[in-house]
Amino acid sequence: MNIQSAIIFGAKILKTKYINNPYLDAEILMAKAIKKDRNYVLLNFNHNLHNEDFKYFQKLINKRSFGKPIAYLTNRKFFWKYEFFVTKDTLIPRPDTEIIVENALRFNKNKKQVNILDIGIGSGCILLSILKEKKYSYGTGIDISENCIKISKINAVNLKVNSRLKLYKSNVDKFKLGKYDLIVSNPPYIKKNNIKILEKDVAEFEPKRALNGGLDGLSEIRKVIKKSSELIKNNGKFILEIGFDQKNKVINLLKKEGFYINSVAKDLANNDRCIVSTKI
Ligand code: GLN
């Protein structure tokens, strides 16, 4: 069988399982199966497939047909300007989260050296992207998951920012090290009972503890705000991702902890997604 017929075969299976972009997904999985990039796949439609490669491709198609996200099947995801290694232990980096990076850069434009903390570093996408842009800055990342610490370390080495990064496996409440000019966080903020109604790819495959914000969705956000208020320098910036309906409640929590609200940024779907505040 050649590459093209295999892709058509794979895409048909994905289509019957209502996967959104069956041809695109089949092409990406073909690239993974034959260990080449997508361009190679597109330029070599007539090449014959080895039997083992076809079997591997079928296996990937089968997993995708049950909803497993492409990023977990390829172990890669683009975010900001870089490709990140991801596994089922990390949340898949979202384009909406790039708003945190954008705001971090905007609000620290004139500062050469920024000491940054990322609470719940996950794959490292936020902090490592900022460190790549701010060459003289230092970062600290914490996460409750040992595997996330390992994965963000791998990404830091790949992106060559490892020497400016410290990582700690820690729960947000217990962490006490350092004082920071900038704190960023994309904490779990989905209401516990709403996780099951998210898209199947998310609900069944992404780590629950990266999503679950407790009964009201705010239990981790509360801890992150409290901790940030302790560890941030006066005049330091705190940039937090929130759920689409959490703006007013989170603003109140921030004000109570002595933060001034600079701006609330909307995501690509026009939902309130990111609050920039300053410790005063
Ligand atoms: N900081 C990581 C991200 O933005 C992980 C966030 C999380 O797991 N809640 O993707």
Side-chain angles (χ1 to χ4, degrees), residues 90-94 97 118-126 143 185-188 209-211 241:
T90 68
L91 198 72
I92 300 171
R94 308 288 204 268
T97 302
D118 184 343
I119 302 179
I121 186 168
S123 60
C125 61
I126 302 172
D143 206 291
S185 184
N186 175 19
R209 64 177 168 181
L211 300 169
E241 184 166 324

Side-chain angles (χ1 to χ4, degrees), residues 11 50 69 72 82 120 178 190 194 233-234 275:
H50 293 295
Y72 290 149
Y82 310 98
I190 312 288
N194 285 351
K233 294 181 192 168
N234 270 343
I275 305 187

Side-chain angles (χ1 to χ4, degrees), residues 14 19-26 64:
L14 297 183
I19 300 296
N20 276 338
N21 300 297
Y23 284 93
L24 175 64
D25 286 6
R64 180 71 192 112

Side-chain angles (χ1 to χ4, degrees), residues 43-225:
L43 293 171
N44 293 280
F45 264 1
N46 295 329
H47 277 208
N48 267 332
L49 270 180
H50 293 295
N51 218 355
E52 302 88 79
D53 289 349
F54 182 57
K55 277 196 190 133
Y56 185 29
F57 174 70
Q58 281 179 294
K59 214 167 118 188
L60 293 169
I61 289 287
N62 188 41
K63 287 185 181 168
R64 180 71 192 112
S65 74
F66 286 105
K68 189 164 183 172
I70 284 283
Y72 290 149
L73 291 169
T74 61
N75 294 113
R76 290 151 193 250
K77 180 71 188 179
F78 271 101
F79 177 87
W80 194 246
K81 299 179 184 171
Y82 310 98
E83 194 173 60
F84 287 81
F85 172 61
V86 296
T87 73
K88 62 174 174 27
D89 300 293
T90 68
L91 198 72
I92 300 171
R94 308 288 204 268
D96 295 329
T97 302
E98 292 174 357
I99 300 166
I100 298 189
V101 179
E102 251 168 51
N103 279 287
L105 298 175
R106 179 177 312 144
F107 281 90
N108 288 280
K109 216 171 29 208
N110 301 322
K111 249 192 186 157
K112 210 168 173 193
Q113 189 177 326
V114 190
N115 194 22
I116 313 159
L117 172 67
D118 184 343
I119 302 179
I121 186 168
S123 60
C125 61
I126 302 172
L127 181 56
L128 305 185
S129 299
I130 300 172
L131 287 179
K132 275 305 265 188
E133 305 283 340
K134 306 276 306 169
K135 302 266 178 259
Y136 300 96
S137 294
Y138 289 86
T140 299
I142 68 168
D143 206 291
I144 194 168
S145 151
E146 178 81 49
N147 284 340
C148 284
I149 295 296
K150 286 186 189 152
I151 289 155
S152 46
K153 166 101 182 172
I154 292 171
N155 282 319
V157 171
N158 289 345
L159 295 175
K160 302 189 174 63
V161 294
N162 193 32
S163 61
R164 294 186 281 128
L165 178 71
K166 287 195 179 120
L167 293 166
Y168 299 94
K169 177 193 176 309
S170 175
N171 167 319
V172 52
D173 303 316
K174 300 213 172 96
F175 187 73
K176 291 198 164 62
L177 279 178
K179 282 278 177 188
Y180 302 89
D181 305 295
L182 169 65
I183 299 182
V184 291
S185 184
N186 175 19
Y189 54 70
I190 312 288
K191 286 186 186 135
K192 186 171 187 276
N193 295 327
N194 285 351
I195 293 179
K196 56 179 181 298
I197 59 169
L198 297 174
E199 272 178 71
K200 182 180 167 203
D201 291 24
V202 180
E204 284 184 21
F205 293 92
E206 299 211 55
K208 296 280 178 301
R209 64 177 168 181
L211 300 169
N212 185 353
L215 280 179
D216 69 351
L218 294 169
S219 61
E220 300 306 312
I221 286 189
R222 274 191 207 94
K223 295 182 203 166
V224 171
I225 292 178

